[in-house]
Amino acid sequence: MSTFIAAFVVLLLFFVLMSIGYIIKRKAVAGSCGGLGALGIDKACDCDDPCDKRKARMAEEAERNEKLTKDRIL
């Protein structure tokens, strides 16, 4: 039980320190410097021919964008 309490206190301490750092710097926690772009991958799905789920999502997105541009007020 003491191990659990010690681990909880350490975790809580890290959260407090990260919170103080955010409050002082007003800068959000950033990700890594590379990601998929560093590996030469432009997108998460790097297939030549997308799967059916991906094609359906792309069609829905295109339809939504078309509706947004059609119904645009400004």
Side-chain angles (χ1 to χ4, degrees):
M1 185 67 177
S2 63
T3 304
F4 174 75
I5 293 172
F8 182 74
V9 168
V10 169
L11 186 66
L12 190 63
L13 179 67
F14 281 122
F15 277 118
V16 168
L17 291 174
M18 287 174 60
S19 299
I20 291 171
Y22 173 76
I23 290 170
I24 292 172
K25 290 187 176 182
R26 291 284 185 203
K27 184 177 176 184
V29 177
S32 67
C33 296
L36 293 176
L39 299 174
I41 300 173
D42 294 334
K43 54 185 178 174
C45 177
D46 205 21
C47 305
D48 294 330
D49 186 30
C51 60
D52 293 335
K53 284 173 141 183
R54 177 82 174 151
K55 287 179 184 176
R57 277 187 288 175
M58 289 168 60
E60 287 176 8
E61 184 178 321
E63 183 179 322
R64 181 175 182 270
N65 286 337
E66 183 179 321
K67 283 183 182 179
L68 287 173
T69 56
K70 183 182 129 192
D71 297 335
R72 178 177 265 161
I73 294 174
L74 296 174

